[in-house]
Amino acid sequence: QQQVKQSPQSLIVQKGGISIINCAYENTAFDYFPWYQQFPGKGPALLIAIRPDVSEKKEGRFTISFNKSAKQFSLHIMDSQPGDSATYFCAASIRNAGNMLTFGGGTRLMVKP
Amino acid sequence: DTAVSQTPKYLVTQMGNDKSIKCEQNLGHDTMYWYKQDSKKFLKIMFSYNNKELIINETVPNRFSPKSPDKAHLNLHINSLELGDSAVYFCASSHQGLGGYTFGSGTRLTVV
């Protein structure tokens, strides 16, 4: 049973374009929704995170949109750059119940120059 | 100064052996975790541990056990290694209740 579903599995975007990755969750008790970026041979690194009391959060070129009623959230990367090429993971957790992150399956993003 | 460090980075061993992976964090976090990343890049929680509580993912075989000598360390012991244990294992830490994790760089375990 996959509690966090992520799509697409892979994505190719031209430099300067917008990359969009979507996630859907099942457990309404989740109260923390981060996105992680992972480069080959490295551990995942926290990119941006949102709590369910807000609908959008922006940090630089990265924006999370959150739809509580639909149980969906997405990552938008504006002005995508070749250096953004990596695997992106959405995740969800219940912060005061062990805070164990449940990850989506990952999206391999390639930004073409 | 590495925030979450794991050793070794690579581990190749034979089936049936027992091995350990060490993890240390210098962030002052109160909770540490072990995750397994399989060949398809899927990340799965194995354990969550702070001073008060160990939470074990029920799908983890009891051949895997976490050992925490102090707040800054959470080691992973694996007994009777099997071919299916081959994966990358990540240690991570966070503050309970605050959400954000810091991950180590991973240990690639290959069982032959």
Side-chain angles (χ1 to χ4, degrees):
Chain A
Q1 181 187 2
Q2 192 176 351
Q3 291 196 56
V4 179
K5 294 184 180 179
Q6 183 172 345
S7 62
Q9 286 187 317
S10 62
L11 181 61
I12 300 174
V13 173
Q14 290 295 129
K15 179 182 174 181
I18 303 173
S19 304
I20 302 174
I21 305 170
N22 301 299
C23 282
Y25 63 96
E26 298 172 10
N27 188 345
T28 55
F30 287 143
D31 62 0
Y32 178 72
F33 301 89
W35 285 88
Y36 282 82
Q37 179 188 56
Q38 186 179 27
F39 293 106
K42 303 290 185 184
L46 179 64
L47 197 59
I48 186 172
I50 198 167
R51 297 176 188 179
D53 52 345
V54 298
S55 59
E56 186 174 283
K57 183 174 182 180
K58 184 176 180 180
E59 289 184 2
R61 295 184 295 110
F62 301 92
T63 300
I64 299 179
S65 298
F66 186 82
N67 185 330
K68 189 173 181 178
S69 61
K71 294 189 287 185
Q72 294 176 347
F73 58 111
S74 60
L75 176 69
H76 294 233
I77 306 174
M78 312 299 287
D79 187 26
S80 298
Q81 299 296 312
D84 296 331
S85 297
T87 301
Y88 291 81
F89 294 93
C90 63
S93 73
I94 306 169
R95 284 173 292 153
N96 289 319
N99 194 32
M100 294 188 291
L101 286 172
T102 299
F103 282 86
T107 296
R108 184 169 290 186
L109 171 66
M110 180 185 296
V111 181
K112 290 193 167 182
Chain B
D1 213 13
T2 305
V4 179
S5 59
Q6 295 178 230
T7 54
K9 189 168 177 63
Y10 300 97
L11 182 55
V12 181
T13 187
Q14 291 188 325
M15 278 175 47
N17 283 352
D18 302 339
K19 290 294 177 185
S20 296
I21 305 172
K22 294 185 177 181
C23 179
E24 175 182 5
Q25 56 97 2
N26 63 5
L27 297 167
H29 287 163
D30 59 10
T31 307
M32 297 182 72
Y33 312 84
W34 278 103
Y35 277 80
K36 178 181 180 180
Q37 187 170 45
D38 63 23
S39 58
K40 294 184 179 179
K41 296 279 193 181
F42 187 69
L43 281 157
K44 180 180 172 183
I45 180 72
M46 300 178 71
F47 305 101
S48 164
Y49 182 79
N50 63 25
N51 284 339
K52 303 172 187 174
E53 190 177 18
L54 170 66
I55 301 176
I56 302 172
N57 184 324
E58 66 274 9
T59 66
V60 174
N62 57 15
R63 299 181 293 104
F64 290 79
S65 58
K67 299 270 194 291
S68 180
D70 56 57
K71 278 179 65 172
H73 296 82
L74 184 66
N75 303 324
L76 181 65
H77 295 263
I78 316 170
N79 295 326
S80 303
L81 277 154
E82 301 177 358
L83 292 176
D85 297 333
S86 295
V88 180
Y89 292 85
F90 286 101
C91 176
S93 69
S94 77
H95 268 307
Q96 179 78 288
L98 291 183
Y101 283 20
T102 300
F103 280 86
S105 57
T107 296
R108 182 175 292 277
L109 171 66
T110 304
V111 182
V112 297

